[in-house]
Amino acid sequence: MSDAAQPTAAEVRAAAEAVKTALDRHLAAVERRSGEDDPAVYEAFNQLAAAAEVYDELLYDRYDEVTPFEIPGAEDSLPPYAGPEEPNAISVLIRRDYAVAEPQRLLAQAQRVEAAEYDDGPGADQDAAGTIHGALGILFGEFEPDEIASRHKEFGLEEGDSTLWVTAADEPAEPGEWLEAPFEAVDPQRVVCRFDVSAVFDDEDDEDIEGAEDAEDAEDTEDVEDTDELDELDLEEDGELEPLDAER
């Protein structure tokens, strides 16, 4: 970043003061909270996260320094549950991402399904299995999403991130009520639970394991060095350790 674009010292100081104010506001909200999921605490938390992020960015831009802490943003967590205590209905929202890793395998599987559907010869959709989007339509129309998830490699697909949200409702939806926009009116405060799968979690676990292994290797190295020092001492004393004096 050029000097002209850098924030001023006064801007950094103002950002620091904003963090202090947000800290006080968050503590006050916690002290006054009415329950485990008090919306005021949640709002104060988000304000503190936003203020800390601004301060961290300005501090780095101005002084090339960072803060020693990290506050997760609002996008990293769900708001407090504010749905019915005893839901009469639930909705399960699922998103699964795939990469088309082996297009030829995908096309071949779709062609097999199409051939089995039309024993007397090609049907009206004979060209569908010859395109990627057509093959996807055939396979997802033939197999349940859970089956495709468990057999994705057979279909030439590679798993990406996935998430499952369970949301609560007061009453079941009327037939056809949400079909035009099935994912549009999701209220985060009615999410009962969610389950996320991502390679980023595996990377974090691998880093933790590698860090632990490095620490163990360092300890082993220190033990070896200590043993070498003891061996050198033994050699200097003609291979014999001084006997203990019982009267000491």
Side-chain angles (χ1 to χ4, degrees):
M1 179 178 291
S2 64
D3 292 339
Q6 286 183 344
T8 65
E11 289 174 328
V12 179
R13 173 63 62 181
E17 293 298 328
V19 173
K20 297 176 186 178
T21 301
L23 276 169
D24 292 337
R25 186 182 299 114
H26 181 261
L27 177 57
V30 170
E31 292 173 338
R32 297 193 307 266
R33 68 181 178 184
S34 57
E36 184 177 351
D37 295 328
D38 191 330
V41 175
Y42 177 73
E43 182 180 358
F45 173 87
N46 287 337
Q47 292 174 351
L48 176 58
E53 182 178 1
V54 171
Y55 172 62
D56 192 78
E57 291 178 355
L58 294 178
L59 186 71
Y60 181 79
D61 291 343
R62 177 68 184 183
Y63 300 109
D64 199 24
E65 292 287 345
V66 295
T67 56
F69 54 86
E70 180 179 355
I71 300 178
E75 67 277 2
D76 297 328
S77 61
L78 289 170
Y81 177 72
E85 293 185 5
E86 298 182 2
N88 293 319
I90 63 169
S91 294
V92 180
L93 310 177
I94 300 175
R95 171 173 174 169
R96 296 185 178 125
D97 286 358
Y98 298 95
V100 180
E102 299 180 73
Q104 293 306 317
R105 181 182 292 274
L106 176 70
L107 294 171
Q109 291 283 19
Q111 289 166 2
R112 290 193 187 97
V113 171
E114 191 176 50
E117 286 289 327
Y118 302 103
D119 295 333
D120 297 334
D125 296 332
Q126 60 179 328
D127 295 331
T131 64
I132 297 297
H133 70 273
L136 288 170
I138 291 174
L139 293 176
F140 278 88
E142 178 69 17
F143 300 99
E144 293 289 334
D146 287 343
E147 184 173 1
I148 290 180
S150 64
R151 299 173 56 189
H152 61 277
K153 291 184 178 179
E154 296 179 36
F155 302 118
L157 302 175
E158 181 178 310
E159 284 184 312
D161 290 354
S162 65
T163 187
L164 181 150
W165 292 29
V166 179
T167 65
D170 298 302
E171 299 293 339
E174 294 294 330
E177 180 180 343
W178 47 258
L179 291 180
E180 292 185 0
F183 306 110
E184 188 176 70
V186 179
D187 184 354
Q189 290 190 303
R190 286 185 171 240
V191 175
V192 177
C193 57
R194 62 177 289 180
F195 304 95
D196 301 320
V197 177
S198 175
V200 70
F201 302 142
D202 298 334
D203 293 341
E204 291 174 356
D205 292 340
D206 292 341
E207 290 175 0
D208 293 341
I209 293 173
E210 291 174 0
E213 291 176 347
D214 291 342
E216 291 177 359
D217 292 341
E219 291 177 359
D220 293 341
T221 302
E222 291 176 359
D223 292 341
V224 171
E225 291 175 351
D226 293 343
T227 303
D228 292 342
E229 292 175 0
L230 182 58
D231 291 341
E232 292 175 1
L233 178 62
D234 293 345
L235 292 174
E236 291 174 358
E237 297 181 355
D238 297 330
E240 296 181 0
L241 293 175
E242 181 181 356
L244 293 174
D245 189 344
E247 297 180 356
R248 290 182 183 174

